[in-house]
Amino acid sequence: MMTQEQCSHRNNVQSSEKPQVYKVGIYGWRKRCLYFFVLLLMILILINLALTIWILKVMNFTIDGMGNLRITEKGLKLEGDSEFLQPLYAKEIRSSPGRPLFLQSSRNVSVNIVNSNNQLLTQLVTGSSGFKARGKMFEVKSTSGKLLFSADEQEVVVGAERLRVMGAEGAVFSKSVETPHVRAEPFKELRLESPTRSLLMEAPKGIQILAEAGDIQAICRNELRLESKDGEIALDAQRIRLLRLPEGKASASSSSSGTRQTVYEVCVCPNGRLFLSLAGAGSTCQISNNFCL
């Protein structure tokens, strides 16, 4: 057992020693580096926040959309000019009510319709070389739904009341033309011409050529033939003129020594040829029939 003196001596020794203190944390240059990185991080956060706010301001981000792009219940709405760098796929493209829809491209504008197998069915191309349309059928209709123009592999239909050709050379058809009525404009001439081939007009119920306020001319280089198989050819006019008919010459024995006559009679040869003969007291066709030889 310890005595009283030993206990008091031990207490005095413990009281004379200083208590030890352990430091917790970062001190010195480490603390300064930590504060520097925290400050740098705060600066970067502020710069990033400022750039984000600037981008939102410039791009005009709102709850409804971005810039001229608005998100509506019916789809996307673009206001102003829009530029697409890649193909655009949409179910419907239309302008705002009362405003036009304007499409512009530096090369061409193509509209393609494909099937489920990605095969081209219909194509519409507008470019610097012209306007091209590809499809099984092409139709143009009026606002009332009336067919104005239609084209397919079988035929081309013009549904307008009048087809007007404004070219100086008129209309050129390499094949036949079927129409119920051919008429020129008022005070204009109607000319049907085949420069190197024949011109044929056929109709099962007749052909009528009418000039109400002018003349009708039929000019040919060789022969002009009028033929009626089952009917007749009628020349109905107040005056009928047969110009440039040859004049038959009578024989010397039957020639008259009287005054010169200015009246002729029209004679017909058995082959159908017409000629003129000086009229006399009787018929002079037999006298001048040497023209039929």
Side-chain angles (χ1 to χ4, degrees), residues 165-172:
V165 180
M166 303 297 296
E169 297 295 331
V172 180

Side-chain angles (χ1 to χ4, degrees), residues 7 42-43 56 62 66 77 88 103 107 117 124 155 181 199 201 209 260 264-265 274 284:
C7 291
M42 293 179 62
I43 293 174
L56 293 176
T62 60
M66 177 187 68
K77 180 180 180 181
L88 175 64
L103 301 177
R107 296 180 65 88
N117 298 327
L124 181 64
E155 62 180 0
H181 193 187
L199 178 62
M201 292 187 294
I209 302 176
R260 183 177 181 182
Y264 296 87
E265 59 177 329
L274 300 179
T284 59

Side-chain angles (χ1 to χ4, degrees), residues 20-145:
Q20 294 181 359
V21 179
Y22 296 96
K23 297 181 180 181
V24 179
I26 301 175
Y27 298 94
W29 64 273
R30 294 183 179 88
K31 183 177 181 180
R32 290 191 294 270
C33 289
L34 178 62
Y35 286 162
F36 174 75
F37 283 119
V38 171
L39 181 60
L40 181 62
L41 181 61
M42 293 179 62
I43 293 174
L44 292 177
I45 292 174
L46 292 177
I47 293 175
N48 190 12
L49 181 61
L51 290 176
T52 303
I53 296 175
W54 178 75
I55 292 174
L56 293 176
K57 185 65 177 179
V58 171
M59 300 300 294
N60 194 15
F61 278 98
T62 60
I63 300 176
D64 298 330
M66 177 187 68
N68 295 330
L69 180 64
R70 296 289 183 266
I71 301 175
T72 62
E73 297 179 355
K74 298 181 179 180
L76 298 178
K77 180 180 180 181
L78 288 174
E79 297 179 354
D81 299 335
S82 302
E83 182 177 358
F84 300 93
L85 302 179
Q86 298 295 332
L88 175 64
Y89 300 92
K91 181 180 180 181
E92 181 181 359
I93 300 176
R94 63 180 180 179
S95 63
S96 301
R99 301 186 62 181
L101 178 62
F102 183 69
L103 301 177
Q104 182 178 0
S105 174
S106 59
R107 296 180 65 88
N108 57 42
V109 177
S110 302
V111 179
N112 298 330
I113 307 298
V114 297
N115 56 10
S116 58
N117 298 327
N118 202 23
Q119 294 179 352
L120 184 63
L121 298 179
T122 305
Q123 185 180 37
L124 181 64
V125 180
T126 58
S128 58
S129 60
F131 177 85
K132 298 179 181 179
R134 176 183 177 184
K136 295 182 179 179
M137 184 176 60
F138 179 75
E139 287 186 354
V140 178
K141 294 185 178 181
S142 64
T143 55
S144 61

Side-chain angles (χ1 to χ4, degrees), residues 99-278:
R99 301 186 62 181
L101 178 62
F102 183 69
L103 301 177
Q104 182 178 0
S105 174
S106 59
R107 296 180 65 88
N108 57 42
V109 177
S110 302
V111 179
N112 298 330
I113 307 298
V114 297
N115 56 10
S116 58
N117 298 327
N118 202 23
Q119 294 179 352
L120 184 63
L121 298 179
T122 305
Q123 185 180 37
L124 181 64
V125 180
T126 58
S128 58
S129 60
F131 177 85
K132 298 179 181 179
R134 176 183 177 184
K136 295 182 179 179
M137 184 176 60
F138 179 75
E139 287 186 354
V140 178
K141 294 185 178 181
S142 64
T143 55
S144 61
K146 181 181 178 181
L147 181 63
L148 299 179
F149 181 84
S150 175
D152 55 17
E153 295 182 356
Q154 301 297 329
E155 62 180 0
V156 176
V157 178
V158 179
E161 296 181 357
R162 178 182 301 178
L163 175 62
R164 178 178 298 179
V165 180
M166 303 297 296
E169 297 295 331
V172 180
F173 302 94
S174 59
K175 300 296 183 179
S176 62
V177 179
E178 182 178 353
T179 177
H181 193 187
V182 178
R183 183 180 62 183
E185 291 185 356
F187 307 104
K188 299 292 184 179
E189 294 182 356
L190 175 62
R191 186 174 183 178
L192 302 177
E193 181 180 2
S194 177
T196 58
R197 294 294 186 269
S198 61
L199 178 62
L200 177 64
M201 292 187 294
E202 294 182 354
K205 294 185 178 180
I207 297 177
Q208 182 180 4
I209 302 176
L210 177 63
E212 296 181 353
D215 299 334
I216 296 178
Q217 294 183 1
I219 302 174
C220 63
R221 181 175 297 275
N222 294 326
E223 295 182 358
L224 177 61
R225 183 174 181 179
L226 301 177
E227 181 181 356
S228 178
K229 294 181 179 180
D230 298 330
E232 62 181 9
I233 298 176
L235 301 177
D236 187 4
Q238 294 181 356
R239 292 184 301 173
I240 298 177
R241 301 175 59 187
L242 300 177
L243 304 177
R244 300 175 60 181
L245 286 179
E247 181 180 351
K249 296 182 179 180
S251 59
S253 59
S254 60
S255 60
S256 175
S257 60
T259 61
R260 183 177 181 182
Q261 299 183 14
T262 58
V263 180
Y264 296 87
E265 59 177 329
V266 180
C267 304
V268 182
C269 295
N271 57 4
R273 182 176 298 178
L274 300 179
F275 66 94
L276 298 179
S277 178
L278 289 173

